[in-house]
Amino acid sequence: MAVKNIPLGQALLDSGLITQEQLEDALSLQKQNGKKLGDILVESGIIDENELMKALETRFKVPFIDLSETRIDNAAPALISEELARKYNVIPIASDDKTLTVATSDPMNFYALDDLKLATNLEIKAVLAAPSAIKNAIGRYYSKKQAEDAAEVLNREFTVENTGGSFREIDERIDNAPVVMLVNSIIQQAVKLGASDIHIEPMEKTTRVRVRVDGVLQNQMTLAGGAHNAVITRFKIMSGMNIAERRLPQDGRIETVVDGRPVDLRLSIMPTVNGEKLVIRILGGTGVLFSKSQLGLSEKNAEIFERLIKSPNGIILVSGPTGSGKTTTLYSILKEFNQPGVNIITVEDPVEYKLPGINQVQVNAKAGLTFASGMRSILRQDPDIIMVGEIRDTETARMAVRAAITGHLVLSTIHTNDAPSTMTRLIDMGIEPYLVSSAVVGVIAQRLVRNICPRCKTAYDPSPHEAEILGLNPGEKLWKGRGCAFCNYMGYKGRTAIHEIMPVDKNARILISYGATSDELREYAVQKGMTTLRQNCAELVKNGTTTIEEMLKVTYNIADE
């Protein structure tokens, strides 16, 4: 088959990205479905989008840019509508008095360029970008703009001077379109940013909206104080709360879909001196679950982890503060055990992910279904493995111990600072030391640290103080993120877990039975080779995964001596 008249194919051949056979197969497929050659090669996995764009750069002599590393001028996308941007999959990135620079994946689409010229009365300069990167940029910019526009309209309507009247009069205005648009935009934007929580907080004269991304709160917008009650009431209606109650804490739930992905929102309202504060926890519905290999375990910790989860009975506890990934670790263990021949039952509050093949129970305190009462019923359901969302009281702890010493494997979480202190915490809850020593087979303490952004990662010479903390040799480098569009100029992108795993062996059981302190247990565990949280994090700093600032922030108060 002749290919000399196919410039793109020739460009890809010349660059060594495809073979002659792959090109001929793609051309044959193109005759059948009529798709573009580049799209066929990308969909087949032969090349990726960036490789295709660089080939098109050579073919069309149009510069290629990486949108994840490009700062978009906020004024530029505002010059065209979201409808036009999505129609042609383009995103304006810069403008001046005469020219609008637009990122596109098809610089030869002259109809699109002409439409943009008519819409803006500006000359259009095209640059190449990957289609998925353009789509993501459109979603990020226009969802933020939609929220800002709705907030602006809402702020005009609910000025401080316009907040008089009864609560009923204000409540009657929550069906107002800007309120609905704003609430929907807040949710959509938070999900697209990968946020774990949304905070809507009343200040003295304004309302602050923040989202938690990679464990750090970021300001999203500021609303007029007069709009606060309308926004909170809208959330109350969506979650089935009592809109007339403004003096007591309330909890609610919203199930929705954002960009085709099921999202479960858990709402908590707390009255403050300035009004009701709302925190929304974003859960993943039937989202992606981690496997053991994705937990970020070091090679040494992975071996200990494997030995722990092979225990036929006993309690395996995961400890750490709220938001440290404890439940994710438990789900990865359940995923490993989820087989037709194993009866797995969980009791959780809330059920964060729905796992096919596993019987999951949602705690309902109002109806009398607590962790402890759920455990009692589970033991009559012939379980092999039981997961308890959290051991937070003596009764639940006793039920977990009872299940463990009668032949069941029990998985649960507990709030302690490190692995050794988990034992003293259980004893403090009223469990006899000999029962703790015989029931618990191991504890996994963990934290989450932010990863350095891979796009703007740069090496630097450590200060003498940093070198001393990490025990670096002369000439060794450390890494940090400069900040780029990909990481929203934070220098970090995503998080990874650090772990401290303490198996309970024969000598540890003796120490626990005789009432050893957490310091004594820690000293013994370290002698037996336990890697502490700080040591684990230090290794990640040295290999360039995270920064020393993250290490000091996350492990500063954790004693390693």
Side-chain angles (χ1 to χ4, degrees), residues 4 60 82 112 141 155 281 301 389 404 442 510-511 524 530:
K4 61 182 180 180
F60 296 131
E82 180 179 3
Y141 174 80
N155 287 341
R281 188 177 181 193
N301 280 338
I510 294 172
L511 287 172
Y524 170 74
M530 180 182 79

Side-chain angles (χ1 to χ4, degrees), residues 355-368:
L355 306 174
I358 291 177
N359 306 285
Q360 295 173 275
V361 178
Q362 168 71 53
V363 164
N364 186 342
K366 292 180 181 178

Side-chain angles (χ1 to χ4, degrees), residues 15 26 45 59 145 165 182 194 197 220 255 306 324 352 359 398 402 428 436 438 462 477 512 538 552:
S15 61
R59 179 185 179 191
K145 184 175 183 298
L182 177 63
D197 303 272
Q220 282 300 99
E255 289 185 336
E306 283 287 347
S324 59
E352 295 195 19
N359 306 285
R398 288 191 185 281
R402 178 183 166 189
D428 183 57
V436 174
S438 60
K477 300 282 188 179
I512 295 167
L552 295 175

Side-chain angles (χ1 to χ4, degrees), residues 228-523:
H228 184 78
N229 283 334
V231 172
I232 296 297
T233 304
R234 174 62 184 167
F235 274 110
K236 283 182 177 180
I237 289 173
M238 293 173 69
S239 59
M241 294 187 202
N242 182 357
I243 65 173
E245 180 57 72
R246 299 173 189 246
R247 300 165 299 172
L248 297 174
Q250 293 190 70
D251 295 316
R253 177 180 180 181
I254 300 171
E255 289 185 336
T256 186
V257 176
V258 177
D259 290 342
R261 167 191 163 193
V263 176
D264 194 356
L265 307 176
R266 301 301 170 97
L267 287 71
S268 173
I269 287 181
M270 174 70 71
T272 70
V273 292
N274 292 317
E276 294 175 292
K277 176 182 175 179
L278 171 63
V279 176
I280 305 166
R281 188 177 181 193
I282 303 173
L283 305 178
T286 54
V288 177
L289 297 178
F290 287 108
S291 62
K292 289 184 303 181
S293 61
Q294 295 173 301
L295 291 177
L297 292 161
S298 66
E299 185 176 343
K300 179 180 177 181
N301 280 338
E303 291 178 6
I304 304 172
F305 184 84
E306 283 287 347
R307 291 202 303 270
L308 277 186
I309 66 174
K310 287 178 180 176
S311 302
N313 52 61
I315 302 175
I316 298 175
L317 292 169
V318 183
S319 76
T322 301
S324 59
K326 301 187 297 295
T327 306
T328 299
T329 298
L330 289 184
Y331 279 149
S332 72
I333 300 174
L334 292 182
K335 185 179 179 183
E336 181 80 6
F337 287 126
N338 190 9
Q339 304 292 334
V342 182
N343 181 21
I344 303 174
I345 307 178
T346 76
V347 54
E348 307 171 60
D349 184 25
V351 175
E352 295 195 19
Y353 293 96
K354 295 172 184 175
L355 306 174
I358 291 177
N359 306 285
Q360 295 173 275
V361 178
Q362 168 71 53
V363 164
N364 186 342
K366 292 180 181 178
L369 178 54
T370 63
F371 283 122
S373 63
M375 280 285 290
R376 279 194 295 271
S377 297
I378 285 173
L379 289 174
R380 294 192 289 270
Q381 292 281 319
D382 185 32
D384 296 304
I385 298 172
I386 302 168
M387 187 188 101
V388 186
E390 181 184 344
I391 293 179
R392 59 174 68 157
D393 55 52
T394 302
E395 190 178 3
T396 306
R398 288 191 185 281
M399 293 300 301
V401 168
R402 178 183 166 189
I405 63 178
T406 54
H408 303 92
L409 181 62
V410 180
L411 311 174
S412 189
T413 70
I414 191 167
H415 284 220
T416 56
N417 287 330
D418 54 24
S421 62
T422 301
M423 306 305 173
T424 53
R425 170 67 179 137
L426 288 171
I427 294 169
D428 183 57
M429 292 172 75
I431 309 301
E432 290 78 1
Y434 75 91
L435 287 176
V436 174
S437 65
S438 60
V440 180
V441 296
V443 182
I444 304 164
Q446 70 179 56
R447 299 287 190 279
L448 293 177
V449 294
R450 291 185 291 171
N451 296 331
I452 299 171
C453 174
R455 302 290 179 88
C456 60
K457 181 176 177 179
T458 182
Y460 71 96
D461 292 317
S463 68
H465 181 57
E466 291 174 332
E468 181 183 356
I469 291 173
L470 295 169
L472 299 177
N473 296 318
E476 285 192 76
K477 300 282 188 179
L478 292 180
W479 287 264
K480 62 183 177 181
R482 297 188 307 273
C484 64
F486 182 66
C487 62
N488 200 23
Y489 302 96
M490 298 295 290
Y492 298 94
K493 187 70 174 179
R495 290 188 290 176
T496 193
I498 56 173
H499 301 89
E500 177 179 279
I501 306 181
M502 188 182 84
V504 180
D505 60 15
K506 179 181 177 181
N507 290 330
R509 285 197 292 273
I510 294 172
L511 287 172
I512 295 167
S513 296
Y514 282 103
T517 65
S518 58
D519 287 338
E520 291 169 335
L521 288 171
R522 167 176 286 276
E523 185 178 350

